[in-house]
Amino acid sequence: MYKVLAGAVFLGVGLWAWSEKGVLSDLTKVTRMHGIDPVVLVLIVGVVMFTLGFAGCVGALRENICLLNFFCGAIVLIFFLELAVAVLAFLFQDWVRDRFREFFESNIRSYRDDIDLQNLIDSLQKANQCCGAYGPEDWDLNVYFNCSGASYSREKCGVPFSCCVPDPAQKVVNTQCGYDVRIQLKSKWDESIFTKGCIQALEGWLPRNIYIVAGVFIAISLLQIFGIFLARTLISDIESVKAGHHF
């Protein structure tokens, strides 16, 4: 039941966010987005959780073997997909790094196009004290922060405020702290902004938190295996009762 409720909450939040951005009134906006829209991820998670929760809950209450088999099969599929992604990410680290760089750079280009994407990048940069994929110069990919002479943006040769080294004395966030920063000599950049790229920051974060990541993965896997076991046990009991064998 909790999966149904959680899925419904995710769906509600996602649809509300799309409504606020006017996507529901013009669905073509989804196809015009160049970067990733975080709301899409919320909606996907909501749909998957609601569908699985509904199948498992109704299947158990109505003793519907078809729904229980769907629930069990979907959990097994998700489990093996997670396992495959983890193994492939470990074996092909350079390929994963290149794909993440392309993904991050694509979203840098679309930074000002979507407020949710903007907040996601800002949160990532602030949490990891990083700037850009490999450094502040990656923000040349964005038309607003580009240093070329053709740009007339006030943010030209700057970086987002989330790249700025926080000033403990400031109580209010200065959203203009990154203006004109990259006009200065590179040797002075680290005085006001983070110069480490987010890919290097994430690569450094993973080894430091490997036990936490492994623990979360194991916990999720155990819950999935337990769900599969319960579903298979219930299916077996239902089939036995239908066959006239009572335990």
Side-chain angles (χ1 to χ4, degrees), residues 231-245:
R232 293 307 310 170
T233 301
L234 185 55
I235 290 171
S236 178
D237 289 345
I238 293 171
E239 289 176 341
S240 297
V241 170
K242 287 184 176 181
H245 298 287

Side-chain angles (χ1 to χ4, degrees), residues 80-93 96 217:
F80 280 109
L81 283 175
E82 292 170 350
L83 192 61
V85 168
V87 172
L88 291 174
F90 178 76
L91 294 176
F92 302 99
Q93 295 181 28
V96 172
F217 181 78

Side-chain angles (χ1 to χ4, degrees), residues 34-36 97-113 117 121 124-125 131-135 137-143 198-199:
H34 299 292
I36 186 173
R97 189 181 297 110
D98 290 341
R99 298 294 79 73
F100 185 78
R101 175 184 57 78
E102 292 174 2
F103 171 79
F104 201 94
E105 289 177 351
S106 172
N107 286 292
I108 284 177
R109 293 186 183 93
S110 305
Y111 177 76
R112 288 296 188 204
D113 297 344
L117 174 61
I121 294 177
L124 178 65
Q125 292 190 147
C131 187
Y134 281 104
E137 289 178 319
D138 288 334
W139 283 98
D140 272 335
L141 295 170
N142 186 281
V143 65
C198 290
I199 291 179

Side-chain angles (χ1 to χ4, degrees), residues 1-13 45-46 49-54 57:
M1 180 60 73
Y2 74 91
K3 282 189 177 180
V4 177
L5 295 176
V9 169
F10 274 100
L11 281 172
V13 171
V45 171
M49 291 185 68
F50 184 84
T51 303
L52 289 178
F54 179 83
C57 185

Side-chain angles (χ1 to χ4, degrees), residues 143-175:
V143 65
Y144 295 99
F145 297 98
N146 190 286
C147 272
S148 69
S151 175
Y152 295 99
S153 169
R154 179 60 189 88
E155 295 175 307
K156 176 181 177 180
C157 278
V159 292
F161 75 95
S162 53
C163 286
C164 296
V165 176
D167 184 354
Q170 287 186 338
K171 302 300 181 182
V172 179
V173 177
N174 179 11
T175 57

